Amino acid sequence: MTGPEPTETVHGPSVPTASVVLAGTLEAIGAGAYVVDEQGCIIATNTRAEQLLGRSADDLLGQDAHDLLHRGPDGQPLPRTQCAMRQAFHAGRTAQAEEDWFACGDGTLLRISWLITPYDVGGRHAGTLVVFHTPHHPQATDPRPEPAAQPLSELHRLALLAETTAQLTSTLDVDEALRRLVALVLPRLADWAVIDLITERDEVWRTVVVHSDGDTLTHHEDLQGPMPPIPEESPMPLSRALRGVASNLAGPQTYQGPPDSGIAVEQRRLFDATGMHSAAIAPIRSTRAVLGALTLGRDENQAPFTPADLPLIEDIARRAGLALDNARLYQRQRKVAETMQNHLLPQMPGVSGLQMAVRYLPAPDASQVGGDWYDAFPLSDASTALAIGDVVGHDLEAAAGMAQVRNMLRAYAWSQHEPPSRIVERLDEAIQHITDVTMATTIFARVEPAEDGHWQLSWTNAGHPPPLLISHDGLARYLTEGHGILLGTQTGTRRPDATAQLPPGSTLVLYTDGLVEAPRRTLDEGLERLRQHAAALAHRPLASFTDQLLRRVRPSGNDDDVALLAVRVPGR
């Protein structure tokens, strides 16, 4: 007979969550702003919009923006076919107008200039951002000075800041956030973008050096790499920015004198290599710490930066700092979560006469550890225990509860020579008193050799999706016997046992509900999808069988983790 195959745990990619996209971002725009959904209904607004329109958030949210706000110059309702903003909304394109009219809450008309642009609200749903202000009253609370070389209108400045907010807050990947930041500022504001980041060990790393030749961006990796430490007293522009002191302007002449630090030497090298004649340097900081510095540089084809340019660049750098901080926190949590999950999930034992393969895929929000688990271990009577389960929750408490349930199940199964039903009854009694687990599901099974190459399976099911048994010829059926209520209900009812034969060449699949459950789809549909694909893959080697099964069956919109344990009896 074929020996056991090595086990493997697979972790899937994370997907950024939608909640970070809208929260707090509209308040930073500095003009009236609201977001509409795919039907044109307002789903988010900022305080400035409420002030300009004389309407509270409760008056705005959920309303069709066109019907509520859009008016002609005499206050008449504006037909949708004549509304430029509505046409841009349906076309999904960016557009702007210098003069239009909105209806205020008191019945008066507000003359506005507006910009509309597609806006990522996360998930599968598209949104649209509308930014507006009164043409004769630009926002005094959040001025945006215009760069000397390429003056930006008020709407263009607002568009740039809105786009910066939307682009940077819709990703939780640091590298992607940096790529988007560069694409936002080049070539719109400068010819060069340099990003220096402070690592978690307080080391400075020149992470990005990019040059723009029109729309072509060229990365200069030879200018990237580790930087000297930040000097504590240096008055030089980059050193001050990295300490979070202030933004400043710089040029080649700034670093021509005797260097006061290693960073000054690197800055002279940067100016010599790039040919920048003018640079604006701003701190990148979050609410908690300074994360680095953003340097924008211009070559001989553009006019130098002036002090009036700094507030806009500071604003962009501030938004970048918040986005990078969120991304770093997310990646740190994800790393902790994945490390913890890997340590909690066991390695599979080698069982003579059986093949085993396991897979674990975290939820798309991989910063959360899940309560899904699997297990297999030898018992004292020479049989082998199999288990799969799901503790309610998606946090560290759920993961800790999962570890408690799994370990108690191991202890009872090893020490008590009883049927699976009785082992799970003891487990249910224990978790109610000595753990914080409120509810959980599990299948606990025993497998042992029988006659003629068959194996005997006995199991009990505590509220879990049923095991799936696939024959070598592709006949697949669910083992629905032995089903009882989930753990933690405190009913004290006796649990049933069930038995089945595992013939040569057959495959048993234990899985958690993340494999078969999805929004807008019934559980029966998910189970039928799993059955069909498992039957079609019956001839595949076990490792390929499990990989393909996950790839084909796991719902694309799944927001849950998935654990899978597959056991195969080799053919004769």
Side-chain angles (χ1 to χ4, degrees), residues 266-467:
E266 291 300 323
Q267 284 295 86
R268 179 189 296 177
R269 174 172 172 254
L270 178 70
F271 278 97
D272 290 344
T274 62
M276 293 188 298
H277 73 88
S278 176
I281 305 174
I284 298 175
R285 52 185 154 204
S286 68
T287 56
R288 302 181 305 117
V290 180
L291 305 182
L294 169 65
T295 299
L296 299 184
R298 289 177 176 170
D299 59 26
E300 66 280 358
N301 296 323
Q302 293 200 57
F305 285 107
T306 71
D309 296 319
L310 289 177
L312 176 61
I313 298 170
E314 288 173 346
D315 214 338
I316 293 171
R318 182 167 61 251
R319 284 162 167 77
L322 295 174
L324 288 173
D325 193 40
N326 286 337
R328 281 184 170 182
L329 288 172
Y330 177 82
Q331 291 183 348
R332 189 180 304 127
Q333 291 170 348
R334 180 177 61 187
K335 184 176 180 180
V336 170
E338 290 180 349
T339 301
M340 181 176 181
Q341 195 82 54
N342 284 334
H343 284 293
L344 291 176
L345 295 174
Q347 297 296 314
M348 293 296 96
V351 179
S352 178
L354 286 180
Q355 300 174 20
M356 291 188 190
V358 292
R359 299 292 187 268
Y360 175 78
L361 293 175
D365 181 6
S367 66
Q368 297 182 344
V369 288
D372 289 17
W373 56 280
Y374 57 76
D375 204 358
F377 51 94
L379 296 173
S380 57
D381 60 1
S383 63
T384 299
L386 306 175
I388 193 124
D390 186 358
V391 171
V392 173
H394 292 89
D395 50 26
L396 290 174
E397 184 176 345
M402 173 266 284
Q404 289 179 307
V405 170
R406 190 200 70 193
N407 291 337
M408 285 194 296
L409 180 60
R410 278 192 165 211
Y412 283 128
W414 176 263
S415 62
Q416 306 296 320
H417 300 283
E418 296 177 316
S421 61
R422 184 55 185 150
I423 299 298
V424 173
E425 287 171 8
R426 291 181 181 273
L427 175 67
D428 197 9
E429 294 170 3
I431 65 174
Q432 298 172 26
H433 301 289
I434 61 176
T435 76
D436 294 324
V437 173
T438 56
M439 286 187 293
T441 67
T442 190
I443 292 174
F444 177 63
R446 295 163 49 104
V447 289
E448 50 194 334
E451 297 179 352
D452 300 326
H454 289 64
W455 283 68
Q456 176 82 11
L457 175 74
S458 57
W459 77 95
T460 190
N461 185 335
H464 201 81

